[in-house]
Amino acid sequence: MGLNIYGWSQTLRNPVIHQEARGNTGKKELILPLEKVLQVLEQPDADRGLWLYKLNEVIHKGIAHYWEDEGLDDYHLRVPWAENYILAALGRVIPDWFGKWEFFDYRKAVERGVGLCSQQSIILLQVLARNGIPAKMLGLSNHRILTAEVEPGQWWILDPDFGVVIEADLEAVEENPGLARIAYEKEVHSKKDIDNMVRMFELKDKRVEPLSVFYKERYYLEPFTYILLWIIPFGLMLPRILGKRPTTLQS
């Protein structure tokens, strides 16, 4: 119980990320402050298309493109004990599955401030879901992005890791990969990265599913552990609370 309460006073963000350029477009990109990112994420714009652009950009600029083993604990890629002792224990006992954890609670993911394409796409998907905007995870061969409905029947492709928005749906991009090239050339300096992204859109091995299906086990595990980490200490205390007090010997 004490560990849970102590965790409220701790932050998942290492302030060092504000002094380092950790972008993913070939440009020097410093990470935005947490408050600035949350301000955009939690203030929907009446113009959905404009808001999608803002969300995509602020996640791109607010999350450091980083997921290295060296930063496992410095950047809290492995969940700290004070944050969630259940996920922390799983991360140490089963490191292949839980050693590095992508948060599905977008506020915790943004607070930590580091992640790769899948973590950034999860953040955007969760924000859109919270606001009732249809969206799905789009899995390419080795990259995770998303597709969201900007107007009824009209879908765009968003890549917050690169800060790219393609104003077309997946079917249109598959028929004309040049649409992807034009969009990535606006934000990405590396020709190799641009060519790689266009090639992934040309390949057939894509997966488009709701986030809850794409990451079925992890998606439901995270909120369950955040409930369980309070149930366990309360459950251990309950027998003493409900138990009979020892009777006093009478002379």
Side-chain angles (χ1 to χ4, degrees), residues 7 16 47 84 151:
V16 173
D47 185 330
N84 184 318
E151 291 181 3

Side-chain angles (χ1 to χ4, degrees), residues 84-150:
N84 184 318
Y85 59 82
I86 298 173
L87 290 177
L90 289 172
R92 288 153 178 81
V93 175
I94 317 175
D96 289 344
W97 282 87
F98 304 100
K100 294 179 181 177
W101 185 261
E102 292 181 310
F103 282 109
F104 291 88
D105 182 330
Y106 76 88
R107 290 185 65 92
K108 293 186 182 298
V110 171
E111 179 186 345
R112 181 170 59 183
V114 297
L116 299 184
C117 55
S118 49
Q119 178 66 94
Q120 297 186 39
S121 293
I122 288 170
I123 293 170
L124 184 46
L125 282 162
Q126 294 291 62
V127 172
L128 295 178
R130 183 172 181 264
N131 289 275
I133 299 176
K136 296 180 180 181
M137 177 74 86
L138 171 53
L140 303 179
S141 57
N142 62 351
H143 193 54
R144 300 291 177 266
I145 54 179
L146 64 141
T147 179
E149 188 178 54
V150 61

Side-chain angles (χ1 to χ4, degrees), residues 157-222:
I157 296 171
L158 299 98
D159 184 343
D161 190 27
F162 280 101
V164 171
V165 176
I166 305 174
E167 295 187 16
D169 60 23
L170 180 58
E171 183 178 354
V173 175
E174 286 178 327
E175 291 178 357
N176 182 12
L179 294 172
R181 181 174 296 278
I182 292 171
Y184 278 90
E185 284 178 344
K186 292 178 182 179
E187 301 294 339
V188 183
H189 285 188
S190 168
K191 185 178 184 303
K192 179 180 178 182
D193 286 339
I194 295 170
D195 291 342
N196 187 45
M197 287 306 309
V198 173
R199 190 176 303 110
M200 281 192 278
F201 278 107
E202 293 173 338
L203 298 174
K204 300 299 182 183
D205 57 336
K206 302 180 187 71
R207 181 182 174 190
V208 184
E209 291 178 325
L211 188 60
S212 58
V213 176
F214 207 100
Y215 293 105
K216 187 174 182 180
E217 293 80 8
R218 289 173 175 249
Y219 184 85
Y220 293 105
L221 175 65
E222 181 175 299

